[in-house]
Amino acid sequence: RTPHTQRDAGRATSGFSLLEALVAVFLLALAAMVIVGTLPGRPAAGIAAAERLRHDLEDIRDRAIISGQAQAIRVTDGGYEHLEWGNANWQPATSHAVRLDQGVTLAREKSKPASRVGTGTAQPEIVFDPTGIVAAPGLILIWEGGNLPLSVLPDGQLKWDDSNV
């Protein structure tokens, strides 16, 4: 052999071939798919909204107990707002209402309450007295994939059965 062909033969055996590189990329992609497949999925839109409402109810109940002032939640078109009782009327407790994810709505299971006499203000759906006891109708979260009936217990805990979601 000539020195020239020995040098070319050495190059051919060093590094990865294209086929070896493609096999390595394929194996990495396969491993990534297996790992992603074992990760928990995103909860249904309704479950995520219910968890948010549960957290907000606990905060509002605590605020009613600590402040000694009635607190409430009024269902709005796109979500709900936190209210507090003051000056003989329900007033917004925060500067903004909670907006639910696109396509998720919160509704009363029964018809909306009549307006408070003399104020023209609709009664809030969920009311916490200063002891933390709540008065609330049944609620339901509705989204494209289903619906989720919610129960607000007298102590302010939010319960639901997500086995059918």
Side-chain angles (χ1 to χ4, degrees):
R1 291 189 146 193
T2 65
H4 180 65
T5 57
Q6 287 177 350
R7 187 177 70 209
D8 289 342
R11 273 192 199 160
T13 60
S14 65
F16 292 107
S17 70
L18 179 59
L19 182 61
E20 291 169 329
L22 287 174
V23 168
V25 168
F26 173 77
L27 291 174
L28 287 173
L30 188 62
M33 286 182 3
V34 168
I35 291 170
V36 168
T38 62
L39 294 176
R42 181 179 180 267
I47 300 297
E51 289 291 347
R52 168 83 188 266
L53 180 58
R54 173 188 282 167
H55 179 268
D56 289 346
L57 285 173
E58 291 171 0
D59 286 348
I60 293 169
R61 179 197 58 213
D62 293 347
R63 181 181 257 187
I65 293 168
I66 292 169
S67 70
Q69 187 174 17
Q71 306 287 317
I73 287 182
R74 179 183 300 142
V75 175
T76 63
D77 288 338
Y80 53 91
E81 66 179 327
H82 175 197
L83 306 171
E84 61 187 9
W85 184 254
N87 298 326
N89 202 358
W90 288 110
Q91 301 170 2
T94 58
S95 60
H96 63 283
V98 173
R99 307 280 312 159
L100 298 175
D101 289 342
Q102 181 97 15
V104 178
T105 57
L106 177 65
R108 257 180 91 110
E109 286 187 338
K110 298 187 171 133
S111 63
K112 289 194 92 172
S115 294
R116 180 182 290 274
V117 177
T119 65
T121 304
Q123 282 276 8
E125 282 75 14
I126 304 170
V127 179
F128 289 92
D129 72 13
T131 64
I133 302 298
V134 67
L139 300 171
I140 188 165
L141 280 166
I142 305 165
W143 68 98
E144 186 178 325
N147 59 53
L148 184 64
L150 305 172
S151 299
V152 183
L153 302 178
D155 66 352
Q157 294 293 316
L158 186 65
K159 298 291 180 188
W160 64 85
D161 179 13
D162 61 358
S163 62
N164 296 328
V165 177

